[in-house]
DNA sequence: TAAAGTTATGTAAACGTTTACGTTTATGCA
DNA sequence: TGCATAAACGTAAACGTTTACATAACTTTA
C-alpha cells in the first residue's frame, strides 16, 4: 500500500533516463523539453506514483505558497462570522493562484496574537494577512521577512498595505436614517473603543448627531466586551434611559441586544428601533428582520488576497490603502 | 530593516564558536549542552536575530507540523457554522502541540474536494482531518502518505480512524419528545440523503415513528439542497400537508424554515412545532427560541485532533472510532 | 569546411536543517 | 600508570528540489 521509501525526482529521472533537471523542468514547464522526453517523464511519474515534495521545493525556491490569515476567527464563544466570510474571500483567490491558506486565531488577545505570529516563523509563510487586535503593539518587531497586509483594522503607525471598510460613512448614514425617522434619543452599543473600526463607527455616529443638532448623551453610549451576554447586559442598562433607537456596532452584541428585547417583550421597532452591524442570515429571521449594515466581508478578503499577491510579485510597489464601501440594508426593525 | 541575507544556523554557529550540531541541539533540547555553551548560542541567536527556517527543518526531519482540515467550512453562501466550531476545537489542541492548521474548503463538492487533496500534496502536511462530501469516492487513491482522520462523516469502506456524532440516538430522542407532546404528523426536512450523518438522522426519525406505531408519511418527508432558500421552499411545500411539527436536520435549512414560518405568521409552536439541528447563538433569539440538537462540535474537533496526534505518534495502533453524544435542548419552539 | 549558432539536455551546487557517527578531553578505577 | 568510561561537542551526509552553468549534437553561415 504505502511505499516504504519515498520516491523522489531522482528516481523518476533514473526511470526515464533523463536528468533531474529535465524532470523538474517538465514538472514546472520552466524550459523547453521535447514532446518525446516529456512523455517519458510523465510515464515514469505515473509508473512510480511520484508526488512532488513541496517542502523541498519551498526550501530551494524560497517560496512556500502559503499565506497566513490571523484574526479573531475561530474562538468558539464570541464567534464572529465576519472573519469567516473574509477567510472565504481570501481562499477563493488564493486557490486560483495555487496558494494555501493557514488560519490562525488571535482570540482578539495580544498574547495569543504575538504567540501565533512567532509560531508562523519566518520562512514557512510567504505572507501574512491580519486583523490586528491592538493598535498600539509594535507588530513590526514580530514579523518575519514576508509582506504583511492589514485587514479591517490598522495599527496606528502602519506603513503597510491595508484593506479596510469605510465605517464612518456608513455608520453616519445609518444614524442619519434613524434621525430621519424622527429619532432623537439614539443609543450606541459597541465593543471597546480600541480598534480603528470601532472608533470610525463611533465617529460616524457622533457626526450624524452633531450635524443634526442633536447632543450625544453619555448615558446612551455604552461600550463593553464583545459577546452575546455583554450585548444583553448593555441593552438592559441602556433601556433604563429610554432610547427610541439603538445602534449596535457589532453583530455578536446585536444578538445579545435582540435576545434581551425579545425576552422582555420590548417591541421592535414600536418601542425601540434597532440597526446593527453585519448582515448574516440570522438577521433575516429575527422578528422583525433587522436593519443592518452589510460589510463587504468576502470582498474584503478577496481584495486583501489580491493585494498580497501583488505585493509578493513586487516588493517595491508603493503601499496601497483600499477602503471598501459598506451598505445599509433597511428592514423592519426601524 | 530587513537583512538582505537570511541568517542561518551556520551563522549562529560561527558567531558562537560552536558547531551547527550544537546550535541545533540547543534549539531543540535534543542532547545535553553545557550551560555556558547554551548561553553563548542564545546570545548569538539574539545578536543575529536568528529565526529558524521551519521549511528546512521539515525537509530534513520529515515532519511539517501542519495538519489540514478539509470540510465545507468557508463557502460563503451555505455557511455552515458547525464546521467552524469544529475547526476551533481542532486548533485548540493543535496549538498546544505547536502544530499548525491549514484550512481547505471542499464546498461540499467532490471536484473541489479532490482538487484540494491534490493540492495538499504529500509532504506538506503531517495529517489530514476531513469531513468527506461523498460516501462513494475512492479517497484512498488521493491521499498521500499521511494519516487521515474522518470527522463527522465516514466513507463507506473506511479503515481509518474517525470521530463522529451519535446522530441516530439523538434524532430519535427528539422525535420521541415531539411524539410525547402528542404530535402525530411530524415532518422531516433535510439535505440530500447522501451523507452518513443525514442517513443516521433519518433512521432515528423513522425508528421513533415506527416504535410509536406511527406511519412515516412520504408527503411529510422532504429532502433538498442545503441552503436557506431551500429550507424556505421545503417548508412552504410541506405546510400544505399540515404537519403539526417539523424536524429540520440541518441548521442552515432551519433558518430557511424559520424565515418562512415567520414571514407567513405561522405561530410556533401553536400551529407547528419546530426542532432543528445545531445550537448556535441565533437559535436563542428567534421567536420563540428554538428547540435544538446540540452537537458537540468543538469537542468533535478536539477529539479528532487528539486522535490525529496519537496516530502520528503510533502509526500501527488499532483504528479508533469515536462516537460522541449530542444533546437535545428543549426550548419554547415545541 | 570551419566557425558560429541553436536546440535539447545534463551536472552539480545550493537551500538550512537534523542526526548518525566520530572525536576530544576529563575522570574513575585497578 | 594505563585503560575504560563518560561528558561535551564536532563533522559531514543526508532531506528533495531548483537553477546557474556547461555540454553535446545538429544547423546554419560564409
Amino acid at each position: 500500500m504505502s511505499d516504504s521509501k519515498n520516491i523522489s525526482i531522482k528516481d523518476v529521472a533514473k526511470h526515464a533516463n533523463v536528468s533531474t533537471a529535465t524532470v523538474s523542468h517538465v514538472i514546472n514547464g520552466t524550459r523547453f523539453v521535447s514532446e518525446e522526453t516529456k512523455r517519458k517523464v510523465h510515464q515514469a511519474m505515473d509508473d512510480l506514483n511520484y508526488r512532488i515534495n513541496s517542502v523541498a521545493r519551498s526550501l530551494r525556491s524560497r517560496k512556500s505558497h502559503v499565506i497566513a490569515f490571523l484574526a479573531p476567527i475561530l474562538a468558539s464563544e464570541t464567534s464572529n462570522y465576519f472573519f469567516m466570510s473574509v477567510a472565504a474571500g481570501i481562499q477563493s483567490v488564493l486557490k486560483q493562484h495555487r496558494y494555501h491558506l493557514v488560519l490562525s486565531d488571535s482570540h482578539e488577545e495580544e498574547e495569543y496574537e504575538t504567540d501565533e505570529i512567532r509560531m508562523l516563523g519566518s520562512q514557512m509563510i510567504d505572507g501574512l494577512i491580519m486583523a490586528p487586535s491592538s493598535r498600539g503593539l509594535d507588530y513590526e518587531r514580530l514579523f518575519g521577512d514576508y509582506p504583511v497586509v492589514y485587514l479591517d483594522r490598522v495599527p496606528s503607525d502602519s506603513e503597510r498595505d491595508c484593506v479596510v471598510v469605510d465605517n464612518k460613512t456608513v455608520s453616519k448614514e445609518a444614524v442619519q436614517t434613524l434621525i430621519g425617522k424622527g429619532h432623537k434619543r439614539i443609543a450606541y452599543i459597541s465593543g471597546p473603543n480600541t480598534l480603528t473600526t470601532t472608533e470610525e463607527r463611533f465617529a460616524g455616529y457622533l457626526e450624524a448627531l452633531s450635524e443634526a443638532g442633536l447632543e450625544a448623551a453619555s448615558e446612551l453610549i455604552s461600550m463593553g466586551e464583545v459577546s452575546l451576554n455583554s450585548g444583553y447586559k448593555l441593552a438592559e442598562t441602556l433601556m433604563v434611559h429610554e432610547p427610541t433607537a439603538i445602534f449596535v456596532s457589532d453583530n455578536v452584541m446585536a444578538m445579545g441586544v435582540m435576545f434581551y428585547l425579545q425576552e422582555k417583550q420590548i417591541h421592535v421597532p414600536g418601542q425601540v428601533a434597532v440597526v446593527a452591524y453585519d448582515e448574516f442570515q440570522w438577521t433575516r429571521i429575527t422578528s422583525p428582520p433587522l436593519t443592518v449594515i452589510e460589510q463587504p466581508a468576502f470582498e474584503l478578503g478577496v481584495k486583501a488576497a489580491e493585494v498580497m499577491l501583488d505585493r509578493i510579485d513586487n516588493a517595491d510597489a508603493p503601499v496601497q490603502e483600499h477602503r471598501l464601501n459598506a451598505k445599509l440594508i433597511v428592514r423592519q426593525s426601524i
Side-chain angles (χ1 to χ4, degrees), chain A residues 2 27 43 45 78 83 176 237 269 286:
Chain A
S2 64
I27 292 173
Q43 184 63 248
M45 295 201 297
T78 315
F83 286 112
Q176 282 174 330
T237 54
T286 50

Side-chain angles (χ1 to χ4, degrees), chain A residues 66 79 99 127 141 156 166 178 180 206 215 228 239 255 312:
Chain A
V66 171
S79 284
Y99 270 75
R141 201 171 38 84
S156 28
D166 187 350
L178 288 172
L206 290 179
E215 222 167 321
L228 191 140
M239 286 309 287
M255 285 198 218
I312 287 175

Side-chain angles (χ1 to χ4, degrees), chain A residues 127-331:
Chain A
L128 172 62
I129 299 175
M130 78 176 287
S133 72
S134 153
R135 205 165 18 183
L137 242 178
D138 180 16
Y139 288 106
E140 293 298 333
R141 201 171 38 84
L142 298 168
F143 295 148
D145 198 21
Y146 42 73
V148 174
V149 172
Y150 287 119
L151 184 139
D152 189 51
R153 315 150 176 183
V154 186
S156 28
D157 52 354
S158 157
E159 293 293 332
R160 300 280 194 169
D161 297 314
C162 70
V163 12
V164 296
V165 173
D166 187 350
N167 281 289
K168 188 175 168 188
T169 304
V170 75
S171 295
K172 186 172 170 183
E173 181 191 349
V175 175
Q176 282 174 330
T177 305
L178 288 172
I179 294 172
K181 299 222 170 206
H183 291 283
K184 295 200 184 329
R185 293 186 60 76
I186 304 172
Y188 182 84
I189 290 184
S190 86
N193 212 7
T194 54
L195 303 172
T196 41
T197 48
T198 333
E199 212 174 45
E200 287 175 18
R201 293 169 195 188
F202 191 46
Y205 165 79
L206 290 179
E207 201 166 295
L209 288 186
S210 95
E211 284 186 10
L214 295 173
E215 222 167 321
S218 68
E219 77 271 16
L220 291 182
I221 296 169
S222 60
M223 301 177 180
E225 182 198 321
V226 175
S227 73
L228 191 140
N229 271 340
S230 161
Y232 183 101
K233 294 278 188 212
L234 293 186
E236 187 169 29
T237 54
L238 264 183
M239 286 309 287
V240 173
H241 303 102
E242 302 184 337
T244 63
I246 307 181
F247 178 97
V248 192
S249 91
D250 177 274
N251 72 83
V252 177
M253 298 180 87
M255 285 198 218
V257 172
M258 292 306 285
F259 191 20
Y260 173 78
L261 295 177
Q262 182 195 304
E263 197 175 277
K264 298 304 175 194
Q265 310 245 25
I266 297 172
H267 187 259
V268 178
Q271 291 176 262
V272 67
V274 177
V275 39
Y277 246 84
D278 291 332
E279 155 73 345
F280 287 110
Q281 296 177 323
W282 70 264
T283 61
R284 295 206 266 158
I285 61 172
T286 50
S287 46
L290 270 181
T291 293
V292 293
I293 289 172
E294 180 181 38
Q295 296 191 84
F298 190 88
E299 293 75 15
L300 217 60
V302 167
K303 181 55 87 180
E306 287 172 353
V307 169
M308 173 57 76
L309 295 177
D310 284 358
R311 174 62 58 202
I312 287 175
D313 283 346
N314 186 354
D316 300 322
V319 168
Q320 313 182 39
E321 177 188 306
H322 294 273
R323 189 167 289 266
L324 276 53
N325 291 321
K327 194 171 101 193
L328 181 68
I329 300 180
V330 177
R331 288 199 282 245

